[in-house]
């Protein structure tokens, strides 16, 4: 059966709907394939127009960021490229925000890596560094070997030690003086002998300086006269000392063989080897000579007392051995030196505290907490002060010294109206009365009928007790015993009642609020405020006094009492000067009714006599002021003259303007904010009034000739020669004025309209402050006339949000579904 639908048969309708669906599907797939791929180079010209934050995954943002950096661009330069390419400002902001987050994350990673590198415990020279390690993590004694400005080089410019043992390559100095005088500089040979002319070989290797001197003296006694009987003296000393080789082994930073001067000690060699390593002992260092231990060094002895005990002089082929530490513990908290410390067998907590320098001034000394390793876990214990000398140390112990509690065991305090407020000792049987006496008693203006005690209850909650200070002091009521941390407060009379004030305003030198005093008169208050101004009217002074019995149910109730007074300037004569005031009175001194404040205007620019002018009439106009200035100069440009007039703000506008300035001034005082403050002040001070001075001078007192007001500024500039083109042009610029040029001519010289220009809304701001817009009539545009000094402004088009690919797909899918639904509805039943 054939069914007609709006004149179309059903088969034809089916074919038509199928074709429409096919076309829509083709358009949809073409549109999808036309969208730039995520991997597309977004920095190529023309590709940034479709920039969308939703297109990018985090990986894509990272690739885009790396591409921007490889091109040598900043994020701001990338944003400018996208803006010029026509991308939406909203999408640019979203992409920039994601790029900046990525940049911040990378910067933080770099900073962390730099800090980690600088805090490496092991330095490049092999020494374990303590400089960048917190105090609590330092190993006591390590700083002795790691400071670059500390040297343990042996001093060879000293008198020869008498116990120094001579060896091969030592150079000796033998002086003879007396009957015979001669000097010999023999060098000890490898077999330990020296050769002296006419004496022969003398064996000195292994001898001390003292022993070698005696042996040389015996050899010389047979050759040189006077040596035997003492008339010729023999003196032997060292010249250039030899070098020796010492082996440093064990737990040192740089073990090995070292060649050092023969005067070197254990400290000298340890410093050259970088000191003990991280696992090395500072307290178990030995020297082995000829396979025998001849000395044992404890570095802590030197650090504690400054005495270099057992720091012996080394000999050739000595071995310095540093053992691993046996006990290392950590000491934290209120001690003079925190960190890791090495301990020996049988040493106690008392010894550890002694090495650390002892407790700090704020330490809780009664007990020290220790955390100790067991076979499977940790344990904690409290060591009382009685056991410090008996408590043994184990490897890995961590001792913590707490600080004193921020509380007092015997303190009470008193505040307020006493002569000596503050903290006092809680003595046995101390009461409130005794505490007031300790504070030298109550002041004259103390509120003596009620005081309070703030007391901590058993659960540390605060409770309050009241008492009568006067009765407590005279003994007419039971005194209250005080407890620890009680705080007694006695108020001043002035604190528990409203402060009495009086107000004076109007034409006095210092209007304002003043303290009320008994027997104060109206003359007293006027004198306190500095006296009358010259403009004050002495015949009309009002005093307003509040009423305490106003019937608020009535709309006609009198709410204050107002009295008027007539005073003399000297405030001496007349009955009114003695009128006594009461608290909260308000005195108003009015201005003389015949006195008018002077009004000043300012004329700037191209007049013969620019400056400030006082108005001499209330109806003085612009033309009158120009005449008083002597007229315009030959270089004046009257068509560009403007009038600046102070803004007349209502109270709400004044408050908003004041808040705006205050908010800006609370910000940082940089140059940008300084300009903002200045702009805000200028904006809130003056309005620009557009005038036509040429017409005013041509027809004085006409409708254009405005009356001048106080504070007006009349500006007459000199001749202008340029026109400023701004807004949506390719190159905003100031151009030389051409008489016959139109608005389009000036825009053309500025590069023409930009793609975002709203041409039909172009307008011109004239130098006198007026503005004129472009008009249209049946598609024709009539641009405003241009004069010298004008500004041509091309506004931008309103930004339109671009429809994303997902939104397009949603629209097409909805249309397709609607067509299929329509087809289903009109499809005939089988």
């Amino acid at each position: 059966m054939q069914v007609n639908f709006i004149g179309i048969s059903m088969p034809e309708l089916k074919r038509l709907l199928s074709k429409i669906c096919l076309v829509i599907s083709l358009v949809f797939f073409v549109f999808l394939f036309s969208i730039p791929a995520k991997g597309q180079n977004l920095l190529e010209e023309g590709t940034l127009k479709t920039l969308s934050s939703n297109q990018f995954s985090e990986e894509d943002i990272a690739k885009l960021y790396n591409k921007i950096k490889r091109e040598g661009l900043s994020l701001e330069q990338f944003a400018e490229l996208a803006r010029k390419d026509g991308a939406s400002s909203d999408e640019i902001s979203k992409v920039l925000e994601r790029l900046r987050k990525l940049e911040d994350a990378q910067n933080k990673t770099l900073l962390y890596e730099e800090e980690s590198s600088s805090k490496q415990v092991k330095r490049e020279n092999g020494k374990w560094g303590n400089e960048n390690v917190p105090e609590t993590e330092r190993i006591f004694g390590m700083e002795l070997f790691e400071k670059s400005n500390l040297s343990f080089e042996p001093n060879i410019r000293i008198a020869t030690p008498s116990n120094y043992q001579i060896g091969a390559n030592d150079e000796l100095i033998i002086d003879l003086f007396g009957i015979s005088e001669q000097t010999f500089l023999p060098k000890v040979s490898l077999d330990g002998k020296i050769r002296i002319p006419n004496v022969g070989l003398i064996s000195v290797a292994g001898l001390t300086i003292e022993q070698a001197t005696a042996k040389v003296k015996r050899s010389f006694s047979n050759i040189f006269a006077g040596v035997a009987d003492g008339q010729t003296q023999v003196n032997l000393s060292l010249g250039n000392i030899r070098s020796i080789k010492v082996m440093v082994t064990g737990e040192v930073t740089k073990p090995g063989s070292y060649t050092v001067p023969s005067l070197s000690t254990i400290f000298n060699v340890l410093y050259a080897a970088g000191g003990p390593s991280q696992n090395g002992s500072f307290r178990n260092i030995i020297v082995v000579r000829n396979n025998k231990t001849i000395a044992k060094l404890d570095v802590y002895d030197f650090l504690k007392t400054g005495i270099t005990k057992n720091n012996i002089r080394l000999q050739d082929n000595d071995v310095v051995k540093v053992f691993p530490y046996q006990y290392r513990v950590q000491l934290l908290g209120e001690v003079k030196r925190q960190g890791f410390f090495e301990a020996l067998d049988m040493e106690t907590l008392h010894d550890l505290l002694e090495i650390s320098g002892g407790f700090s001034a704020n330490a809780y000394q009664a007990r020290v907490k220790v955390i100790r390793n067991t076979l499977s876990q940790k344990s904690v214990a409290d060591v009382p002060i009685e056991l410090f000398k008996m408590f043994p140390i184990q490897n890995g112990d961590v001792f913590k010294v707490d600080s004193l509690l921020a509380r007092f065991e015997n303190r009470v305090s008193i505040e307020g109206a006493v002569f000596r407020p503050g903290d006092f000792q809680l003595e046995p049987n101390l009461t409130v009365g005794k505490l007031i006496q300790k504070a030298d008693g109550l002041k004259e203006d103390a509120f003596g009928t009620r005081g309070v005690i703030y007391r901590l209850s058993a659960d540390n909650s605060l409770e309050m007790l009241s008492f009568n200070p006067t009765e407590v002091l005279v003994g007419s009521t039971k005194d209250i015993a005080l407890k620890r941390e009680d705080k007694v407060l006695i108020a001043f009379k002035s604190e528990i009642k409203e402060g009495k004030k009086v107000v004076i305003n109007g034409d006095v030198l210092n209007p304002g609020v003043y303290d009320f005093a008994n027997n104060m008169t109206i003359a007293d208050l006027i004198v306190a405020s500095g006296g009358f101004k010259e403009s004050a009217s002495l015949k009309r002074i009002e005093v307003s006094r509040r009423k305490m019995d106003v019937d608020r149910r009535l709309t006609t109730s009198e709410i204050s009492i107002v009295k008027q007074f007539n005073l003399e300037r000297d405030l001496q004569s007349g009955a009114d000067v003695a009128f006594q005031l009461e608290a909260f009175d308000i005195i108003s001194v009015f201005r003389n009714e015949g006195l008018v404040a002077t009004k000043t205007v300012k004329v700037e620019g191209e007049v013969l006599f620019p400056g400030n002018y006082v108005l001499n009439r209330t109806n003085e106009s612009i033309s009158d002021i120009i005449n008083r200035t002597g007229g315009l100069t030959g270089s004046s440009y009257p068509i560009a003259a403007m009038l600046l007039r102070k803004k007349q703000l209502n109270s709400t506008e004044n408050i908003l303007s004041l808040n705006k300035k205050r908010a800006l001034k609370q910000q940082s005082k940089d140059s940008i904010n300084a300009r903002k403050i200045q702009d805000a002040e200028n904006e809130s001070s003056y309005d620009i009034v557009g005038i036509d001075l040429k017409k005013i001078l041509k027809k004085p007192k006409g409708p254009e000739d405005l009356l001048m007001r106080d504070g007006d500024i009349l500006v007459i500039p000199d001749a202008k020669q340029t026109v400023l083109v701004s807004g949506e042009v390719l190159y905003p610029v100031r151009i030389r004025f051409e008489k016959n040029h139109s608005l389009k001519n000036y825009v053309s010289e500025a590069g023409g309209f930009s793609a975002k220009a709203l041409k039909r809304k172009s307008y011109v701001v004239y130098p006198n402050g007026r503005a004129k817009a472009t008009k249209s009539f049946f598609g024709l545009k009539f641009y405003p006339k241009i004069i010298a000094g004008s500004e041509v402004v091309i506004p931008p088009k309103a930004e339109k949000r671009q429809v994303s690919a997902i939104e397009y797909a949603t629209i097409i899918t909805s249309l397709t579904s609607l067509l299929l639904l329509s087809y289903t509805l009109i499809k005939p039943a089988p």
Side-chain angles (χ1 to χ4, degrees), residues 9 70 85 172 246 290 314 339 415 461 492 512 626 653-654 750:
S9 65
R70 283 198 301 270
D85 219 6
L172 304 180
V246 177
N290 298 325
L314 299 175
E415 300 293 338
S461 61
F492 290 92
I626 293 295
E653 290 172 331
N654 270 317

Side-chain angles (χ1 to χ4, degrees), residues 32 38 89 150-151 208 299 377 601 697 774 810:
L32 286 182
K38 291 183 178 180
S89 297
L150 182 65
S151 175
T208 64
V299 176
Q377 53 190 342
V601 297
L697 296 179
T774 300
T810 303

Side-chain angles (χ1 to χ4, degrees), residues 135-136 331-338 353 356-365 368 399-405:
E135 180 187 3
T136 55
L331 184 58
L332 304 172
E334 295 296 333
V335 288
K336 293 177 182 176
R337 188 184 294 115
Q338 300 183 80
L353 291 171
S356 72
F359 293 109
S360 69
N362 197 40
Y364 173 61
Q365 302 181 23
V368 173
F399 295 92
K400 174 68 183 300
V401 180
D402 292 327
S403 58
L404 293 172
L405 298 176

Side-chain angles (χ1 to χ4, degrees), residues 584-595:
F584 309 108
D585 281 355
I586 300 175
I587 293 86
S588 300
V589 180
F590 296 100
R591 177 166 295 183
N592 191 323
E593 67 276 11
L595 180 65

Side-chain angles (χ1 to χ4, degrees), residues 415-421 436 439-448 470 473 490-493:
E415 300 293 338
V418 293
F419 285 99
R420 296 188 183 277
I436 294 175
D440 285 351
L442 300 177
K443 288 187 174 181
E444 296 81 355
D445 57 344
F447 185 65
T470 304
L473 289 175
I490 298 175
F492 290 92
K493 288 180 179 178

